[in-house]
Amino acid sequence: MISNRELSWNGCVNGRDLGGLGRTRPHAVVRMEAPTRLSEAGWAAAWAYGVRTVVDLRDPDEREPDHAPRPAGITTVHAPLDPVGTPFYERWQKIDHLASPLHYPAMLAEHPERVITAVRAIANAAPGCVVFHCAGGKDRTGLLALVLLALAGAAPEEIIADYLLTYERMKQRHDELGFRDQLAAVTDLVAARDTTIEASLTSTITSLTMPGYLLDNGLSDAELTALRARLTTRS
């Protein structure tokens, strides 16, 4: 199942379809790193795959020019997930630089409006596949993937396995930049808080009530219906 989800679009190393996890259907939502390195052939492959909307979770000052133009029929929606300039952001920059699963519960509790805005962008997107991404496709992308997969009934072990894939997929890019092995770095970071990546994610997933979380924080019944229709196969 994992190999069937991998997307080898030229210029992309961390793209995968969430189809097959829980009740998520293929060609509904794709997670990846920022698509700025996609070549013309890479964008053509995304278009052929059915991508018609890209949801960008990055802050405005992180955005870079694309190496190749996006097809004219692809709509880009900006839905910055990090609440920059807030007490939450300043606090968690000091704890984990918003680069581990440790901050997920606080983010979901303190800034649900950011999460709902991103979810709404997917629910309201035009027909076709939706790509969502941040910079590396791990933390902000990982949180949104967790929310979507929880709604789709994915098991915690499925969500965790999908999250961990990014460390492997992005390793070459991180090595090129001279970064320390990121899996080891985050493992050490969460260990300093007496937990593990897996335990931290499991706690977040099991405490997230769906669809109550979405509805309680502003997603409308109509938007939930649209999201489910886009995201999931019929049970």
Side-chain angles (χ1 to χ4, degrees), residues 9 27-30 43-55 70-77 121-122 124-132 230:
W9 300 338
H27 292 260
V29 283
V30 166
W43 280 113
W47 177 267
Y49 198 76
V51 174
R52 297 297 181 266
T53 302
V54 173
V55 177
R70 305 184 182 200
I74 291 181
T75 298
T76 300
V77 180
I122 294 173
N124 293 338
C129 182
V130 178
V131 163
F132 62 97
R230 172 184 297 281

Side-chain angles (χ1 to χ4, degrees), residues 113-167:
E113 75 285 353
R114 297 278 181 142
V115 178
I116 297 301
T117 295
V119 170
R120 181 175 286 124
I122 294 173
N124 293 338
C129 182
V130 178
V131 163
F132 62 97
H133 72 87
C134 51
K138 178 170 71 73
D139 300 301
R140 288 164 288 189
T141 299
L143 178 57
L144 183 54
L146 183 155
V147 169
L148 296 174
L149 291 172
L151 177 66
E157 55 267 27
E158 291 180 292
I159 300 173
I160 293 166
D162 180 67
Y163 171 88
L164 290 171
L165 276 174
T166 291
Y167 291 100

Side-chain angles (χ1 to χ4, degrees), residues 52-204:
R52 297 297 181 266
T53 302
V54 173
V55 177
D56 187 344
L57 305 176
R58 297 173 300 170
D59 303 323
D61 62 4
E62 294 180 86
R63 298 169 195 160
E64 301 173 345
D66 291 334
H67 288 197
R70 305 184 182 200
I74 291 181
T75 298
T76 300
V77 180
H78 297 292
L81 197 58
D82 280 346
V84 177
T86 65
F88 166 91
Y89 188 82
E90 299 303 321
R91 182 170 75 252
W92 282 96
Q93 273 290 325
K94 296 175 183 177
I95 296 172
D96 75 347
H97 305 287
L98 287 91
S100 88
L102 288 174
H103 73 276
Y104 282 7
M107 178 67 191
L108 289 165
E110 296 179 38
H111 288 282
E113 75 285 353
R114 297 278 181 142
V115 178
I116 297 301
T117 295
V119 170
R120 181 175 286 124
I122 294 173
N124 293 338
C129 182
V130 178
V131 163
F132 62 97
H133 72 87
C134 51
K138 178 170 71 73
D139 300 301
R140 288 164 288 189
T141 299
L143 178 57
L144 183 54
L146 183 155
V147 169
L148 296 174
L149 291 172
L151 177 66
E157 55 267 27
E158 291 180 292
I159 300 173
I160 293 166
D162 180 67
Y163 171 88
L164 290 171
L165 276 174
T166 291
Y167 291 100
E168 176 185 343
R169 301 294 179 265
M170 291 295 291
K171 188 175 189 308
Q172 183 177 346
R173 292 267 177 92
H174 292 151
D175 288 347
E176 291 170 359
L177 293 169
F179 292 169
R180 179 190 174 196
D181 180 85
Q182 291 299 289
L183 180 57
V186 175
T187 297
D188 289 347
L189 178 67
V190 298
R193 296 271 167 170
D194 297 319
T195 189
T196 64
I197 293 173
E198 294 83 356
S200 180
L201 285 167
T202 298
S203 177
T204 301

